[in-house]
Amino acid sequence: MSARGHAFGIDIGGSGVKGAQVDLATGLLTHDRIKIATPQPSTPDAVAGAVAELVAKAGWDGPVGLTMPCVVLDGEARTAANIDKAWIGTDTRALFSAALGGREVTVLNDADAAGLAEDTYGAARDLDGLTLLLTFGTGIGSALLYNGTLVPNSELGHLVVDGAEAEHLAAASVKDREELSYPQWAHRVSTVLRTLEDLFWPKVIVAGGGISRDHEQWIPLLTNRTPVIPAVLKNTAGIVGAAMAVADGIAP
Ligand code: BGC
């Protein structure tokens, strides 16, 4: 980690575009986050407009880091989950930089940003070795970090486990849709975690996403072997990780 000032992070999701200035010495937001509903349809131009509006509202004129629910490679969105498919093939860096008057931007996957934030300021901050963060939400996002260095775009939510993609088996949205109890859902999560730990052998698994707020109800029920700890940054992890990425020049 090098830069230690303030940076601005924006987390773009299917329902909201959320952003705030981040104090990189602490990983805390300096002001309340600003939220704008994600335009529908969530096309690149419409979302870029929302991003420009948010940054203007915040009165921020420095570099901006952004997360997207996409694989992002050399600034180009290569997949699009829960966001308009028109993103695929878009040069997100050029788009957002132009929308923000040509300033410096970096764009990375949403779970990767959350992983960076949890690894530096949150649940995994004092741990070395390999950390795996999973976000349980509409899908399952993943971030792999080795001694603080991100291995970007791991996309482990799409790993096939028991004949189905992990996120189709055990995302938080699946629990809601199929009206699973916590024990039923935890059983499925354990199956996914056992597969992942047999392949990657992380020292710790950080569980993120909104459902990590209810961790007492399901983490104790897991039967995999690697310790699972709840994320601590909750709904700021994406914003904080995005701000870190632009300050530290992480540009997957
Ligand atoms: C996407 C990932 C994303 C995750 C969480 C998955 O469906 O493929 O890129 O990180 O959802 O939004």
Side-chain angles (χ1 to χ4, degrees), residues 132 134 140-142 144 154-159 166-167 192 196 200:
L132 168 63
L134 296 172
I140 295 180
S142 65
L144 278 172
S154 51
E155 292 293 315
L156 299 178
H158 298 288
L159 191 77
E167 70 175 26
V192 169
L196 292 175
F200 293 97

Side-chain angles (χ1 to χ4, degrees), residues 69-71 81 109-111 135 139-141 155 158 167:
C70 305
V71 167
N109 173 263
D110 54 3
T135 59
I140 295 180
E155 292 293 315
H158 298 288
E167 70 175 26

Side-chain angles (χ1 to χ4, degrees), residues 10-244:
I10 299 186
D11 195 9
I12 299 171
S15 58
V17 178
K18 293 153 270 177
Q21 192 185 140
V22 178
D23 178 349
L24 294 169
T26 58
L28 298 174
L29 308 190
T30 59
H31 303 85
D32 286 346
R33 60 182 197 151
I34 300 173
K35 181 173 176 179
I36 295 181
T38 304
Q40 299 302 336
S42 50
T43 55
D45 284 343
V47 173
V51 163
E53 183 189 332
L54 193 155
V55 172
K57 256 191 195 165
W60 174 257
D61 60 7
V64 175
L66 302 108
T67 80
M68 298 209 59
C70 305
V71 167
V72 184
L73 216 49
D74 293 327
E76 181 185 334
R78 302 290 289 268
T79 63
N82 308 309
I83 196 149
D84 200 278
K85 298 295 173 223
W87 282 95
I88 298 172
T90 298
D91 182 342
T92 62
R93 244 185 248 160
L95 175 81
F96 291 125
S97 179
L100 295 170
R103 77 181 81 185
E104 185 193 345
V105 301
T106 196
V107 186
L108 75 166
N109 173 263
D110 54 3
D112 280 347
L116 281 173
E118 289 291 340
D119 201 64
T120 301
Y121 306 106
R125 68 185 172 282
D126 295 324
L127 305 174
D128 63 0
L130 186 69
T131 295
L132 168 63
L133 169 125
L134 296 172
T135 59
F136 295 90
T138 310
I140 295 180
S142 65
L144 278 172
L145 291 114
Y146 181 68
N147 289 340
T149 300
L150 175 70
V151 181
N153 294 311
S154 51
E155 292 293 315
L156 299 178
H158 298 288
L159 191 77
V160 174
V161 176
D162 269 2
E165 284 190 36
E167 70 175 26
H168 296 159
L169 198 69
S173 62
V174 176
K175 177 182 182 301
D176 293 342
R177 196 170 54 243
E178 297 186 21
E179 297 178 359
L180 301 175
S181 64
Y182 273 111
Q184 287 170 323
W185 183 66
H187 179 74
R188 292 189 183 194
V189 174
S190 298
T191 306
V192 169
L193 298 188
R194 270 197 300 275
T195 305
L196 292 175
E197 67 195 2
D198 285 350
L199 294 173
F200 293 97
W201 290 83
K203 283 196 184 170
V204 70
I205 297 174
V206 179
I211 202 161
S212 66
R213 279 195 206 95
D214 300 331
H215 60 91
E216 299 92 348
Q217 298 195 58
W218 59 276
I219 289 185
L221 307 178
L222 297 173
T223 54
N224 67 298
R225 82 177 161 259
T226 310
V228 179
I229 56 177
V232 299
L233 293 175
K234 313 293 178 212
N235 58 10
T236 67
I239 294 173
V240 173
M244 288 172 65

